[in-house]
């Protein structure tokens, strides 16, 4: 454990990543199980399997690539349907499109939760979250917003954490950007309504989660499932196991000035860029951030074997 774990006050809000942080699950095993389940579910309900998977992956990549103010949900479906139609050679009616979206919602409500069957949560996740809530720290779940909120809530349940503990949960319905784009984190800061210097981000991925450092946010890396695509110098940042983080959270003083009125809605592109400019502590290269986001999306939509995520490199 680093020697930089002495509790500090001053945070007005604390953000958490989910996968590999609160949820100690191999992301590649999860993605492999996810793609198999959703493909099987949709095929059983009449979708053409090859076309569905091609459209699903294209829509996922579009969520990472677009920068036009659309929500990730809008970007996904705007790409999904044309790819599905092109692959099948069949034009979908508006009713058929609505039925496909309804089936997707049904999947996340009924079949998706079973991916977590038999999963054992780390009690330190709930311990850390509960300790911070008791000390009046507003919490934001700053997870990769490529899934519907319902899917995120199920994944929190696997982690043994109550979604109600979070003032904002990023998801594809309310986000217009993705990690590691700094615009994703400027949306989060805009929703919280305080400067980056008054926020802590807890994550496990040095590229995706710690891009937030560019906005003056302090970081804490949970090392149990550490992913380090950028050869990050851990000595420069708070870090430790999830158990160590829980103990650190329990030792924090009560939040003196909690952020108030944290928003749950979509943040406009104009506001996000304004917050980005106001909080940037280094020059922000949005094109480089977009390149990294595309790398992440390519990895998400590729083949998955356990541990593959650890080999992703930013260069």
């Amino acid at each position: 454990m680093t020697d930089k774990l002495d509790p500090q006050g001053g945070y007005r809000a604390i953000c958490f990543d989910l996968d590999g942080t609160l949820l100690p699950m191999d992301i590649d095993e999860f993605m492999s199980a996810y793609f198999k389940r959703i493909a099987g579910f949709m095929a059983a309900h009449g979708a053409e399997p090859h076309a569905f998977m091609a459209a699903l992956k294209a829509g996922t990549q579009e969520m990472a690539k677009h920068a036009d103010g659309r929500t990730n949900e809008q970007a996904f479906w705007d790409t999904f349907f044309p790819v599905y139609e092109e692959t099948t050679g069949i034009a979908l009616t508006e009713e058929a499109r609505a039925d496909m979206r309804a089936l997707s919602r049904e999947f996340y409500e009924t079949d998706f939760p079973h991916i977590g069957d038999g999963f054992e949560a780390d009690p330190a996740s709930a311990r850390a979250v509960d300790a911070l809530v008791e000390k009046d720290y507003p919490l934001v779940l700053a997870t990769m917003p490529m899934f519907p909120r319902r899917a995120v809530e199920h994944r929190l349940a696997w982690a043994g954490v109550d979604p109600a503990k979070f003032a904002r949960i990023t998801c594809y319905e309310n986000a217009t950007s993705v990690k590691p784009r700094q615009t994703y984190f400027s949306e989060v800061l805009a929703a919280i309504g305080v400067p980056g210097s008054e926020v802590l981000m807890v994550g496990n991925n040095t590229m995706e989660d710690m891009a937030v450092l560019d906005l003056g946010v302090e970081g804490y890396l949970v090392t149990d499932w550490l992913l380090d695509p950028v050869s990050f110098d851990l000595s420069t940042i708070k870090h430790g196991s999830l158990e160590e983080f829980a103990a650190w959270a329990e030792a924090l003083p009560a939040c003196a000035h909690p952020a108030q009125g944290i928003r749950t809605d979509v943040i406009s592109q104009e506001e996000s860029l304004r917050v980005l400019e106001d909080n940037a502590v280094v020059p922000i290269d949005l094109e480089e951030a977009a390149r990294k986001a595309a790398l992440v999306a390519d990895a998400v939509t590729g083949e998955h074997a356990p541990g593959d995520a650890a080999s992703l490199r930013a260069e």
Side-chain angles (χ1 to χ4, degrees), residues 62-226:
E62 180 63 17
M63 287 192 284
K65 294 174 182 177
H66 80 104
D68 50 21
R70 287 177 297 164
T71 65
N72 292 340
E73 178 182 21
Q74 291 169 324
F76 175 84
W77 291 106
D78 285 350
T79 298
F80 176 94
F81 287 121
V83 172
Y84 186 87
E85 291 174 338
E86 181 180 356
T87 307
T88 60
I90 300 172
L92 298 176
T93 64
E94 287 303 314
E95 182 180 3
R97 289 186 175 204
D99 288 345
M100 186 83 76
R101 296 186 68 154
L103 274 176
S104 174
R105 290 191 294 272
E106 182 181 343
F107 166 76
Y108 287 110
E109 192 64 47
T110 64
D111 201 66
F112 179 88
H114 293 294
I115 296 175
D117 287 352
F119 177 77
E120 293 186 11
D122 187 332
S125 293
R127 218 180 97 207
V129 167
D130 290 346
L132 293 170
V133 170
E134 289 173 6
K135 295 172 187 286
D136 294 326
Y137 287 94
L139 304 184
V140 171
L141 189 70
T143 185
M144 180 68 92
M146 288 183 169
F147 284 95
R149 180 182 172 107
R150 196 70 186 100
V152 180
E153 291 172 344
H154 287 308
R155 287 154 61 213
L156 278 169
W158 303 342
V161 176
D162 182 357
K165 305 283 186 179
F166 296 91
R168 179 182 178 90
I169 293 176
T170 62
C171 50
Y172 91 155
E173 292 99 337
N174 70 358
T176 72
S177 189
V178 301
K179 303 177 189 180
R181 288 186 165 189
Q182 293 88 348
T183 49
Y184 166 78
F185 291 107
S186 65
E187 285 186 12
V188 171
L189 289 181
I192 296 172
V194 301
S197 58
E198 298 175 353
V199 177
L200 175 72
M201 174 69 198
V202 185
N204 74 305
N205 189 306
T206 60
M207 182 172 76
E208 293 182 22
D209 300 323
M210 293 304 118
V212 76
L213 302 179
D214 293 344
L215 301 183
V217 174
E218 190 169 343
Y220 190 118
L221 277 167
V222 173
T223 54
D224 304 71
W225 294 83
L226 180 68

